[in-house]
Amino acid sequence: MYPVSNMTNIAKGLEGVLFTESKLTFINGSEGILTHLGIPIQEWAEKSTFEELSLALLDGELPTAEELAKFDAQLRANRAIPDKLIEEIASFPKNANPMQALRTAVSYLGLFDPQSEDVSQEARREISIRLIAQFATIIAAIARAREGQEIIAPRADLTHAGNFLYMLNGKEPSPEQARLFDIALILHADHGMNASTFTAIATSSTISDMYSCIVSAIGALKGPLHGGANEQVMVMLDEVGTPDKAEAYITKKLDNKEKIMGVGHRVYKYFDPRSRVLRDYAAMVADKEGKSNYYQILETIEKTVVDRIGSKGIYPNVDFYSGTVYSDLGIKKEYFTPIFALARISGWCASVIEYSKDNRLLRPDAVYTGLTDQHYKDLKDRQ
Ligand SMILES: CC(=O)SCCNC(=O)CCNC(=O)[C@H](O)C(C)(C)COP(=O)(O)OP(=O)(O)OC[C@H]1O[C@@H](n2cnc3c(N)ncnc32)[C@H](O)[C@@H]1OP(=O)(O)O
Ligand SMILES: O=C([O-])CC(=O)C(=O)O
């Protein structure tokens, strides 16, 4: 008989387990507070840019104007992707899931990077800059190819957000549209030890290469319990149809013990502060464009959920309102999760770099609950 460990210490879902230190992101889930480098997310959204937050996360400090200008120039200079990759993306099956396509494209991109096997901190940072820049080009190319449209080359004279919308929609966005998208990217850039960041770190903890870390993270973000929820919220809105049907729809789902997408969070037991910022923009868009249908449905769903299960700590998360903002920018729901990745690439890279400074192999354990004292039985003796 082998010793069998006791079950009392299982932290299911690693809930509340502290495995490392980080100076990047702080979350207070009971009060709905999120900060990066100690600065509230609302201030980042109001005053900063995705470029600046990305650099601040990579280096763990606010950049000077000169450092930011250099980083911005590096991003602009690194937007192009290899022709071979463009050809490959153009040949992906049209019905492939865009997150599968992204995972494949990033893996393929790594084959062309002569630095890809270098796991030094300097190389990890240089690769990160290229990945942040090239994610935009890859995701826009995947969307265009999937829609049967011509792939558009990046432009160096536009901001990161503006250039992405240009490559995606085939026309330059207005400054307001580019800024709105920039804010959405800021809100999604990092979020502590979420499942995809943890996955990236787990891969990096074996001293694996940057591309492998990011490909692992894309796979984790894809699921509907994490980044995939934003697309599912739009599916729900289309199922509901009109605002007057929202309350009955949600009540029925909750009565049937079904989950509502875009609400609930492992850490937030109150409003996710990112959902408040996005709600304000969603409301603005609804008023301005007279497109209030989705917004009104969401408002009713929010009220019904908070009334019914707010006491369990279930409130809207970041995925709840983001889709309506993206829809207004002409983005189809199939691309919402890749767009989450477009922002989260900064957090993934920054977290891998931070963890690698004082690496320790991640290797938790499981309580063994299987058989003991068995012996191999020949196939012929098994029933
Ligand atoms: C960017 C992001 O990743 S944000 C999260 C995006 N994901 C979603 O929006 C998917 C919907 N939400 C969920 O599935 C969950 O809230 C998660 C996975 C995000 C977090 O789940 P957990 O921390 O494991 O919470 P858990 O499942 O223990 O829920 C606690 C209670 O709230 C209920 N609950 C949690 N989320 C929801 C939901 N979305 N709808 C209805 N009830 C819910 C659970 O059924 C459970 O009820 P019970 O105690 O009566 O059994
Ligand atoms: O932190 C989490 O578990 C999920 C989340 O909100 C994010 O990744 O943005």
Side-chain angles (χ1 to χ4, degrees), residues 191 194 226 265 274 318 340 344:
H191 207 250
N194 61 86
H226 189 16
H265 198 278
R274 300 167 297 175
V318 70
F340 196 144
R344 188 54 57 87

Side-chain angles (χ1 to χ4, degrees), residues 11 13-22 26-27 193 198 267 355 362:
L14 298 182
E15 187 161 354
V17 172
L18 306 173
F19 77 98
T20 189
E21 291 176 13
S22 175
F26 169 78
I27 304 166
M193 292 305 141
F198 179 73
V267 183
Y355 188 80
L362 281 178

Side-chain angles (χ1 to χ4, degrees), residues 5 18 26 43 56 65 133 146 195 223 237-238 244 280 303 320 360:
S5 45
L18 306 173
F26 169 78
E43 285 186 36
R146 224 173 152 265
L237 294 185
D238 287 333
D244 56 304
D280 292 347
K303 187 173 177 329
F320 195 68
R360 186 160 169 80

Side-chain angles (χ1 to χ4, degrees), residues 140-141 144-145 147-153 167-168 170:
R144 301 274 308 176
E147 301 297 327
Q149 296 165 324
E150 198 190 332
I151 292 173
I152 295 177
M167 291 188 294
L168 185 74

